[in-house]
Amino acid sequence: MRYRAVLHLFAVIVVLLIIWGVSFKYSDVREKARSILGLSNTVTTTPNVKTAAPEPKCDLSRVCPPDHFALYIRSGAANVVGPKICFEGKIIMSHVLNNVGPGLNIVVINGENGVVEKSDYLNMRTGNPEDILAYLKEIKPGMIVLLASFDDVTHKMTDEMREVFVGMGSTLIKSVKHRDSWVFAGRAGMETKSLYEKQAVNDEKTNIYEGWPNLVEVGGCFPRTPTDAHKP
């Protein structure tokens, strides 16, 4: 009886070893097959990547739509602190950058792609009126024009210059007088009334600075120029 029990136990062990061997071999084959097929047993999880939300540009309160440009314009304060012009999150002209001057501070931008074509200040105290007018007339239709006053803009201002600004959408330029503060954003050749224009009148009763009115500012989302806007 003892011999049969031992034999039975031995048979059980052999069967278990065979089962283990087959299982191990099958597992090895399976792993090789998965490796060949480029599969993996490792469980991977897709990381929860959060896309950063776009932030407003030029310190605006909201993000502009894709077909608009962000802009902010502030006039100079008296004849002491220069103006500031920001476009699409970049400060183009400012007192800190030391690229502003007395008169009209101007930035000309390609209205379709937002490329800044040029930025200058037109000296309305000592500049040549003919040169200033020629500069303004060279601005191509469809271009976005940003303007900020500093000091005084009327010394060399002519009626013909004012008409050029009217053709860009200005409705206040004809009333801008000595030492008035003025900011404006328009589009050359469109003659559509601009929503981005402000004026502070030089008035002893309301002036903030001695002999000077308060500064003015505008900001918002300016629409791109339609691609066919400048075509005949």
Side-chain angles (χ1 to χ4, degrees), residues 141-217:
M143 292 288 182
I144 296 173
V145 182
L146 313 181
L147 287 157
S149 67
F150 181 32
D151 195 311
D152 188 89
V153 299
T154 61
H155 284 285
K156 301 290 184 175
M157 181 77 72
T158 65
D159 290 340
E160 196 170 359
M161 291 179 197
R162 294 179 192 267
E163 288 299 329
V164 172
F165 295 127
V166 171
M168 296 177 181
S170 173
T171 57
L172 298 177
I173 187 59
K174 288 188 175 182
S175 65
V176 174
K177 301 294 189 296
H178 176 63
R179 287 192 176 185
D180 285 0
S181 296
W182 178 61
V183 290
F184 169 72
R187 182 178 284 115
M190 296 293 106
E191 297 187 11
T192 302
K193 178 183 177 181
S194 174
L195 301 177
Y196 301 97
E197 185 175 25
K198 282 187 179 179
Q199 173 189 8
V201 178
N202 174 25
D203 188 333
E204 292 182 0
K205 297 178 182 179
T206 58
N207 283 347
I208 299 297
Y209 311 105
E210 184 177 355
W212 298 88
N214 198 3
L215 58 82
V216 287
E217 57 186 353

Side-chain angles (χ1 to χ4, degrees), residues 54-100:
E55 297 183 356
K57 300 175 182 178
C58 294
D59 294 326
L60 300 182
S61 60
R62 67 186 181 96
V63 176
C64 291
D67 58 344
H68 287 65
F69 298 117
L71 62 84
Y72 170 79
I73 311 172
R74 187 191 68 207
S75 71
N79 59 350
V80 180
V81 180
K84 177 181 178 181
I85 300 178
C86 177
F87 181 77
E88 278 294 278
K90 182 180 180 180
I91 299 175
I92 310 300
M93 302 184 75
S94 75
H95 193 90
V96 175
L97 293 177
N98 195 32
N99 61 352
V100 296

Side-chain angles (χ1 to χ4, degrees), residues 132-150:
I132 295 172
L133 180 61
Y135 181 99
L136 297 175
K137 285 187 172 183
E138 286 177 356
I139 300 174
K140 299 177 182 179
M143 292 288 182
I144 296 173
V145 182
L146 313 181
L147 287 157
S149 67
F150 181 32

